[in-house]
Each structure stands twice: as C-alpha cells, then as structure tokens.
Amino acid sequence: MSFRPLMALFFFLTLGLIASAQEPVSVPATEPAPSAEPAEPAAPAGERIDVYVIPITGAINKPNLYILRRGLKEAITNQVDMVLLDMDTPGGRVDYTIEMMEMLAKFDGITATFVNPDAISAGSFIASATQEIYFAPQGKMGASAVIQGGGQDVPETARMKMESYLRANIRSITEDYPFRSDVLRAMLDAEFELKIGDEVIKPAGELLTLTAREAMREYALPDAAPQPLLASGIYDSVDALLDARLGPDQYQIKDFHITYSEVLAKWMNTFAPGLLGIGLLALFFEFKTPGFGIFGIAGIVLLGIFFISQYIAGLAGNEAILFFALGVLLVLIELFFFPAPCCLPCRASR
C-alpha cells in the first residue's frame, strides 16, 4: 500500500491552511492610576445579581472564542444577569475578535470588561463591545492597528477594508456611548485626530493607548454633565469592582471554570506553529527517502496535533467522545502500523 499520494495531498492542503492564517499583534504601554467612585447598583437592595466571571487571557485565538461562547451560552441557560470579562490579552486574530464582539452584543444581560491589566489590540475591540469597561490600577487599553501575524504592515487596500468594517462594527455597538467610537478609532487609525472641544487628546500620526487614569478623565458634553472618556471605574480586584457596582451581598459569582480541554487547547496553541514546521519538515524528509517510515508517521502525527489544537477547546463537555475517538485511532494505528508477529504454530504450518 502506498501512502505517497495521500501524503502529498495532506501536505498541500496544510500549506493552503497556513497561508490563510494572519494575526495582529500588540503594543504595550504602562502607567499606574488611582481608584474611582463606585457606580450605581444594577438592582434594588435585596435583589441578588448572578454574575459569570469569564477569563479572557493570552492571545485572542480559537480557544478564547470557544471559552466566551460556552460562557455566554451557560449564562443564558442559567439565567445569569451579568457577564464580566476578566481580560489580560496582547491581541490576536481579527476574525475571532469580530465573532466575540457579535456574541457579546447579543447577550441580553449586563456585559462588562475588567482590564486586568491589558486589553491591547484585539482586546480593546472586545472590551468596547461590552456595556461597561473597568480598569485595574495598572490597566492599559489601545494600540489596535491591524497588522499581519509576523508584524508586517497589511497591504493598503486590505487594511482600509478591514479598518472600515471594524469601525462600522464599533459604531453599531457603541452608539449609546458618547466618546467610545472616536476613542476606538483613535486606537485603530494613526491618522485620526481625537479632539474633544478645544483639547487634542491624540494628534494625528500616532496610535492611542489609554492608561486607567486617562480613561477615567472626564470631558464635557454639550448640554450635559461631564462624562469619563472610556472607563466606568478603577478597582483593585473583581470582588472590589462587583462590591462597588452591585453592592456588597447583592451579587453571587456563579461557578464558571475553564475545562481541562480548554486549558490544553490554550497550552497547545503556544507551540502549535513549531509542531507545524517540524511536521512539514518530517514529511519533506519522507518524500526524499524510499518507502514509508518513521518520518512519515512523525509528520502526520505532528500535523494532526497542530490541527487538533485548533478545535480541542470546542470539545468542552464532550471529553468522553474525544477519548473514545482517540482510543479508536490508537487501535487503528496498532493494526496497520504495528502488526503482531506470527505465533510458532503458524510459522510451522507454513
């Protein structure tokens, strides 16, 4: 049996999938900030609010997309009143970012983000899709220009198309917030000048990254009281935030835990590109050697791990199915690649 046609097809399909993946990166900033006045409670005294705290950490990738999707689905099923994103991210994929923004916009309850401490690049867009944005004292948010995964600039036409769509998406979500749309545009578009009244907050030629103190600074509106530029408050922890927002003993944090399949998916995503490269190299060596041997098996296994890492987070709650499929796969490998030796009577009969 020859495996070379199948290996060649698998090789070129892999190259096509690699070419379609691009990621934006992030630019950090630093500055401490003070505490802020507590917000008004969300419900009358005596009425407890159920809260889901969903961690969004690391790069914005498919595992984080699955985590947020599962969290919002469980929140709806369990009639949870508020979803709080505990966020610390340097940025990530634009396509996953847009999906996460749309999911948050469709949730009927209260949505909020705790920037703890970074919501950079894609994180700033996701935070902007929630109704309320809070900061840790060292929180930073911004630097959201769209670039490719390797740090290169996106071609001009493609960049303009992506930025136009992102700005439209932001405008549709942030219509009720006076400054948010312009602030997000200043984080995305270096040529945009952010100006409120006579004060220039960000001149053209640079990207905006806000510290917690800067996000809490108030600006006047025509015929209205001054309002904070972006943040709803600055707090040291999630508990301090919820105490101020909802009132002590007026809320209950419902259990929401990251499953081990989601943890594994996030861990695998950190070294998946390396596995992909080693797997392709192993297949290249297999093409150069006669027959089918260890390089072919290693290449297929490594590429299989790479592709599984993109979807394993979506198996949360279906781990039994995963282990059953893994068992079947191991049995097939044993049958086809490691056949049992013949017994002595069998040899004698030959």
Side-chain angles (χ1 to χ4, degrees):
M1 178 179 180
S2 174
F3 290 89
R4 292 185 179 277
L6 291 177
M7 290 171 58
L9 177 61
F10 191 61
F11 181 81
F12 288 113
L13 285 176
T14 301
L15 291 179
L17 288 171
I18 298 169
S20 65
Q22 293 183 341
E23 291 190 15
V25 297
S26 58
V27 179
T30 56
E31 186 172 325
S35 299
E37 294 298 323
E40 291 297 321
E47 189 173 324
R48 291 173 69 86
I49 297 293
D50 291 333
V51 180
Y52 261 14
V53 178
I54 303 177
I56 303 296
T57 58
I60 300 302
N61 50 22
K62 188 160 285 188
N64 271 317
L65 171 66
Y66 285 141
I67 289 169
L68 180 60
R69 179 182 294 163
R70 182 171 67 86
L72 292 173
K73 183 178 179 180
E74 289 186 11
I76 294 170
T77 301
N78 298 325
Q79 298 182 332
V80 169
D81 305 288
M82 179 177 182
V83 167
L84 175 65
L85 307 184
D86 190 0
M87 181 176 289
D88 181 17
T89 177
R93 289 272 294 268
V94 173
D95 50 351
Y96 299 148
T97 298
I98 293 172
E99 283 191 65
M100 294 169 77
M101 292 172 68
E102 292 172 348
M103 281 188 255
L104 288 164
K106 294 176 182 176
F107 182 68
D108 290 334
I110 303 167
T111 57
T113 299
F114 183 41
V115 180
N116 182 31
D118 292 329
I120 304 300
S121 190
S124 65
F125 296 124
I126 296 169
S128 73
T130 61
Q131 297 165 353
E132 302 167 9
I133 302 174
Y134 299 91
F135 280 71
Q138 303 294 329
K140 302 166 292 288
M141 176 174 167
S144 309
V146 177
I147 60 176
Q148 297 187 48
Q152 305 91 346
D153 288 335
V154 177
E156 182 68 16
T157 302
R159 182 184 63 80
M160 291 175 64
K161 289 171 66 176
M162 285 188 284
E163 289 184 355
S164 176
Y165 180 78
L166 281 169
R167 289 201 300 267
N169 209 27
I170 291 166
R171 288 196 303 272
S172 67
I173 292 173
T174 62
E175 290 177 345
D176 297 331
Y177 307 95
F179 304 128
R180 192 176 296 187
S181 178
D182 285 342
V183 168
L184 266 291
R185 183 176 179 184
M187 294 177 177
L188 173 67
D189 183 1
E191 299 308 315
F192 175 71
E193 180 185 73
L194 179 59
K195 185 176 182 180
I196 299 177
D198 295 328
E199 182 175 352
V200 175
I201 300 171
K202 184 208 73 91
E206 61 185 57
L207 294 172
L208 177 66
T209 299
L210 291 175
T211 65
R213 181 186 293 115
E214 292 166 347
M216 280 297 299
R217 185 176 176 183
E218 293 187 344
Y219 293 88
L221 289 168
D223 303 321
Q227 294 190 25
L229 181 64
L230 185 66
S232 299
I234 303 174
Y235 301 100
D236 291 326
S237 65
V238 168
D239 289 335
L241 188 163
L242 293 174
D243 283 345
R245 174 65 176 84
L246 304 174
D249 302 322
Q250 296 300 308
Y251 66 91
Q252 179 180 3
I253 298 179
K254 306 291 285 187
D255 288 338
F256 178 82
H257 300 291
I258 303 299
T259 66
Y260 70 85
S261 64
E262 291 164 341
V263 173
L264 178 61
K266 295 183 77 169
W267 177 70
M268 290 175 70
N269 265 266
T270 61
F271 62 86
L275 291 181
L276 178 62
I278 297 172
L280 291 174
L281 183 62
L283 288 180
F284 174 77
F285 285 137
E286 181 62 30
F287 289 137
K288 296 295 184 180
T289 57
F292 182 80
I294 187 64
F295 287 118
I297 295 172
I300 291 174
V301 169
L302 291 174
L303 292 178
I305 293 174
F306 169 78
F307 290 114
I308 289 172
S309 71
Q310 307 299 305
Y311 299 97
I312 193 171
L315 295 173
N318 299 294
E319 286 83 2
I321 298 174
L322 173 63
F323 282 112
F324 176 78
L326 181 60
V328 171
L329 177 62
L330 291 174
V331 170
L332 292 175
I333 291 174
E334 174 70 19
L335 290 175
F336 287 101
F337 294 106
F338 303 100
C342 292
C343 59
L344 290 177
C346 177
R347 292 178 182 175
S349 65
R350 294 179 181 177

